[in-house]
């Protein structure tokens, strides 16, 4: 468990650096993809899922 959290934190830091750089390349996208898969295996996954569902519900209720 601690190894998984360490890898998640490392990938999160790398993803933030890549996004701040402004040049998201294929290698950067792969790091973000790995971060997503690792986050899905942590205890934070239900919170992220609920947040995405709430945001999608809010966006779908908007009337253009």
């Amino acid at each position: 468990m601690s190894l998984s959290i360490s890898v998640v934190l490392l990938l999160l830091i790398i993803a933030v650096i890549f996004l701040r750089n402004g040049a998201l390349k294929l290698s950067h996208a792969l790091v973000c993809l790995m971060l997503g898969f690792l986050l899905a295996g942590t205890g934070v996954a239900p919170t992220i899922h609920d947040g995405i569902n709430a945001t999608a519900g809010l966006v779908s209720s908007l009337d253009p």
Side-chain angles (χ1 to χ4, degrees):
M1 181 68 175
S2 64
L3 178 64
S4 176
I5 292 173
S6 298
V7 172
V8 169
L9 289 176
L10 176 66
L11 288 176
L12 179 62
I13 291 169
I14 292 172
V16 168
I17 291 170
F18 287 157
L19 290 174
R20 286 187 58 129
N21 189 16
L24 191 65
K25 299 176 184 172
L26 180 61
S27 61
H28 304 156
L30 291 175
V31 169
C32 292
L33 182 72
M34 288 189 303
L35 173 65
F37 277 113
L38 287 173
L39 277 175
T42 63
V44 179
T47 306
I48 294 172
H49 188 264
D50 292 341
I52 291 173
N53 282 341
T55 304
L58 178 69
V59 169
S60 67
S61 69
L62 294 176
D63 192 26

